[in-house]
Amino acid sequence: MSILITNIKQLLQVHKHNITILRGEEMKKLSILENAYLYIEHDTIIEYGTMDEYHPIDAETTFDATGRIVLPSWCDSHTHIVYAGDRTGEYVDRINGLSYADIASRGGGILNSAKKLQNTSEEDLYNQSINRLDEIIKMGTGAVEIKTGYGLTVDAELKMLKVIKRIKQDTLAFIAPTLLAAHAIPEEYRKNKEEYIKLITNELIPKAGDLNISHFIDVFCEEGYFDIEDLETILKAGQAHNFRPKIHVNQFNILGGVALGVKHNALSVDHLELLNDEDIEALKESDTMPVALPGCSFFLGIPYTPARKLIDAGLPLAIATDYNPGSAPSGNMNFIVGAACAKLKLTPEEAINAATINGAYAMGISNMYGSVTRGKKANFIITKPMKHYREIPYSFTHNPVDQIIINGQLL
């Protein structure tokens, strides 16, 4: 398969030499070619340039992109799309004034989703989840992290990993599986959290490691869930089985999880609705990617990640959907890019960088995804006709996607 795209109004995120991350001031710049062409063979970017430089190329498929923007597919580095059912009842409870903590204390929240998942067959869970993935691919996402965490038993967590493996085999999108080993404390362990942590470290993590599906481990470090000591215990157990941390921190409280994540070489620390100067300083000394999840803040009505504080301190930033049934039931990265501009006060350039190359970094794949560079994988969005790429975040409720290319295939 070879694809030639000509007359591209704006080709975004173009880099002659490969880049894997953008930090601070670098995020303000978006490398662009005006009136461009792009040539793809199989799943690989072969050539690009301006139409003034173009010489005829014999391609199996040619697409005239007159008036359209072409950019790398969105890289969504934080999702929970393998889940059963929904939590619409809790949505109404929240409208009526109950908080996230109130709902959880009544057996709702993660525990509610866990009960549903435990009673759902692997086949049914796969079908529900692959449908969600197909939906977000159509909205421009070409690489996505998928976490476990709604099992809360060893068998159910392993079932989730097997579903993620099937999804990875059956889709053209890149899938990064993560073992969310400690998401919540099951009711039967509520008065004996230490025993549940032993179950995680002594049984779940070794069995998950043996499956060789995921190479990332996650913990929900938060009051009422897992504290800083729990986090360290679980991360050490994960690292003993070659799991690298990607962790939930600072959503409702600052417990010290950012610095601990840095200490354990976390690939990313996600949420960060709350931040202090110690967190900033810890991140400055690291290769850890901060990840903001504005869809969660929008849905729950909680503070937004202070993204300007991170970028202005010279740090990188990625943005992701947090697609899950309880606090962010949408995988629309186009909305996330718009929300990053409107609520996180990112420029359109910063938001697109955060959703492409830095999102890829937060999954460990930015050497092959997230930018237009010869030799990288061919995952692209071809937009509907528009005057400028800034219309993508500006018209945040509109779907900008006309065509998508995933793994070198025009869908």
Side-chain angles (χ1 to χ4, degrees), residues 86-311:
D86 59 48
R87 302 216 304 254
T88 52
E90 294 175 14
Y91 175 62
V92 175
D93 289 338
R94 194 171 292 114
I95 291 170
N96 288 329
L98 292 182
S99 69
Y100 187 92
D102 292 335
I103 292 168
S105 69
R106 294 168 39 166
I110 297 164
L111 298 182
N112 183 359
S113 286
K115 289 176 184 176
K116 291 178 181 177
L117 188 139
Q118 291 162 13
N119 293 318
T120 300
S121 70
E122 183 177 320
E123 188 67 24
D124 189 5
L125 185 61
Y126 167 83
N127 288 330
Q128 292 183 47
S129 304
I130 196 76
N131 287 338
R132 295 184 193 107
L133 179 65
D134 289 344
E135 179 186 36
I136 67 174
I137 288 172
K138 292 174 184 175
M139 292 189 284
T141 296
V144 57
E145 184 241 29
I146 305 177
K147 301 179 187 292
T148 69
Y150 287 122
L152 302 191
T153 68
V154 172
D155 287 346
E157 286 292 303
L158 298 180
K159 176 169 68 175
M160 293 185 76
L161 281 177
K162 291 172 185 176
V163 167
I164 296 171
K165 181 180 180 180
R166 285 184 63 188
I167 290 171
K168 187 170 184 172
Q169 292 169 337
D170 293 347
T171 183
L172 291 172
F174 180 89
I175 305 297
T178 294
L179 175 67
L180 178 44
H183 200 190
I185 303 164
E187 197 63 48
E188 60 269 32
Y189 290 95
R190 183 62 66 179
K191 296 181 180 179
N192 196 355
K193 182 174 67 170
E194 291 74 17
E195 281 302 309
Y196 184 57
I197 292 173
K198 286 181 182 178
L199 182 72
I200 291 170
T201 58
N202 296 341
E203 190 171 346
L204 174 58
I205 290 173
K207 287 185 176 181
D210 289 343
L211 288 178
N212 197 30
I213 295 169
S214 171
H215 301 289
F216 298 117
I217 191 162
D218 193 355
V219 177
F220 185 30
C221 183
E222 185 54 62
E223 286 187 7
Y225 293 85
F226 299 92
D227 61 29
I228 200 76
E229 290 78 17
D230 304 330
L231 175 62
E232 180 142 47
T233 297
I234 295 165
L235 293 188
K236 284 181 177 178
Q239 288 172 310
H241 291 270
N242 299 314
F243 287 95
R244 186 177 181 184
K246 276 175 59 68
I247 55 177
H248 287 65
V249 292
N250 291 35
Q251 183 174 8
F252 302 108
N253 298 277
I254 297 175
L255 304 181
V258 171
L260 189 60
V262 167
K263 173 185 172 183
H264 287 278
N265 191 32
L267 180 58
S268 71
V269 286
D270 301 28
H271 273 294
L272 308 178
E273 285 86 350
L274 302 177
L275 274 177
N276 60 25
D277 291 341
E278 289 78 10
D279 295 329
I280 297 286
E281 291 305 312
L283 288 166
K284 282 182 179 180
E285 302 301 319
S286 78
D287 294 319
T288 299
M289 176 65 72
V291 180
L293 307 172
C296 180
S297 296
F298 170 82
F299 193 76
L300 293 182
I302 61 176
Y304 287 85
T305 301
R308 284 259 55 93
K309 192 173 182 179
L310 289 161
I311 295 174

Side-chain angles (χ1 to χ4, degrees), residues 71 74 334 337 383 386 388-396 400:
L71 69 156
W74 304 128
N334 303 298
V337 171
T383 73
M386 59 178 64
H388 198 278
Y389 64 82
R390 290 172 183 158
E391 290 182 37
I392 296 172
Y394 172 75
S395 300
F396 66 94

